[in-house]
Structure formats: structure tokens, C-alpha cells
């Protein structure tokens, strides 16, 4: 279930640029749960995205340091070491990464958490379980 959208123009521009480049948009999926990581990666791949899945915010930042051509980040909120919210803040504080749209996912529908993430710059907040219709709705305006 999609809760709200942040700066939609940023995501549209990033995804359109990736699509215009000829390759599938590259999505970085971050979740400490191997099951949830596999589910979201499968949904994204079936929607024509190239997916790299990692198990922590720390690994996501390492990957972003060596692979800056990421069209979007979709991350779980609750993870050990670094939460999805902390990852969001680090991405938005980076001059090189701040234009990458970040979508937060959580199994908990907590309005204050959702608001805080959107205020910090999250593109959207999805409540798990994430369904293919959530992904379609989120990206329908940018898919060819």
C-alpha cells in the first residue's frame, strides 16, 4: 500500500533518464530479511527493472560508492546497524547521491514514522507486504 509521495518530479526525472539511456532502470533493494529481499527483487524484476539486492544500509552505501548509476533505492525501515531512515538521511546529505529517489518499506503502518521519512525526503512509503500493484502504481508514469 502506497502511503504518500514526496518530490515526484525527482523520481520521474531519474527514471526517465535511466530509461532513455537504453538500459533498464537500476533499483537498489535493501532489506535484512532474505525472504523480503527476494520478494521485492522479484516484483521489481518482473516490472522490467535491473535489481541489486543487499542486506544492510552499510552495504548499500558501499555499493553506491562504487556504482553511482542507481535510479532508485527501495529500503526496509527496520534493519540492524543502520535503519532505512538513517540510510535515507545519508543519501540525502550526499551531494553525489541526493538526487536518487528513496522509497521506504515497513510492515508497520506508523503515521509519525511515515511523516518523518517523507519530510526527510523519501519519495514514498510502502507498507509491507509490497505487491506488484504497489510497484506498478509507483512507477506507472515513468515506464515506457
Amino acid at each position: 500500500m502506497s502511503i504518500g509521495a514526496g518530490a515526484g518530479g525527482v523520481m520521474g526525472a531519474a527514471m526517465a533518464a535511466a530509461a532513455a539511456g537504453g538500459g533498464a532502470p537500476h533499483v537498489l533493494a535493501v532489506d535484512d530479511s532474505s525472504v523480503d529481499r527476494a520478494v521485492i527483487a522479484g516484483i521489481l524484476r518482473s516490472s522490467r527493472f535491473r535489481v541489486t539486492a543487499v542486506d544492510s544500509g552499510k552495504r548499500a552505501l558501499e555499493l553506491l560508492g562504487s556504482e553511482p548509476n542507481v535510479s532508485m533505492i527501495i529500503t526496509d525501515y527496520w534493519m540492524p546497524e543502520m535503519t532505512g531512515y538513517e540510510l535515507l538521511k545519508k543519501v540525502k546529505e550526499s551531494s553525489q547521491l541526493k538526487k536518487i529517489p528513496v522509497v521506504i518499506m515497513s510492515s508497520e503502518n506508523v503515521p509519525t514514522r511515515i511523516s518523518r521519512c517523507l519530510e526527510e525526503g523519501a519519495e514514498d512509503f510502502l507498507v509491507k507486504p509490497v505487491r506488484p500493484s504497489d510497484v506498478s502504481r509507483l512507477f506507472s508514469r515513468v515506464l515506457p
Side-chain angles (χ1 to χ4, degrees), residues 14-116:
M15 300 296 280
H26 183 195
V27 179
L28 175 58
V30 188
D31 201 313
D32 60 310
S33 162
S34 60
V35 172
D36 288 345
R37 213 169 41 246
V39 168
I40 192 65
I43 290 171
L44 290 165
R45 286 184 180 116
S46 71
S47 298
R48 301 188 309 236
F49 293 99
R50 186 166 63 94
V51 181
T52 300
V54 296
D55 63 0
S56 71
K58 184 180 176 193
R59 290 210 173 133
L61 289 174
E62 289 169 0
L63 182 116
L64 289 164
S66 63
E67 171 68 38
N69 294 325
V70 169
S71 304
M72 187 189 74
I73 300 164
I74 185 163
T75 181
D76 185 33
Y77 183 87
W78 280 121
M79 295 182 291
E81 293 183 21
M82 178 187 297
T83 67
Y85 178 73
E86 292 166 334
L87 174 60
L88 167 69
K89 287 180 67 169
K90 290 192 178 295
V91 167
K92 295 305 175 185
E93 289 167 0
S94 166
S95 60
Q96 295 172 324
L97 304 175
K98 67 182 176 185
K99 291 188 179 182
I100 300 173
V102 179
V103 175
I104 307 282
M105 308 176 287
S106 179
S107 56
E108 300 172 330
N109 188 350
V110 181
T112 53
R113 181 181 304 155
I114 295 165
S115 296
R116 188 172 66 163

Side-chain angles (χ1 to χ4, degrees), residues 1-3 103-110 114 124-131 134:
M1 170 167 60
S2 178
I3 300 297
V103 175
I104 307 282
M105 308 176 287
S106 179
S107 56
E108 300 172 330
N109 188 350
V110 181
I114 295 165
D124 207 342
F125 193 103
L126 302 176
V127 177
K128 292 179 182 179
V130 175
R131 296 176 297 278
D134 295 325

Side-chain angles (χ1 to χ4, degrees), residues 43 47 49 131-141 143:
I43 290 171
S47 298
F49 293 99
R131 296 176 297 278
S133 60
D134 295 325
V135 173
S136 297
R137 194 167 46 254
L138 193 58
F139 303 122
S140 61
R141 68 185 180 276
L143 288 174

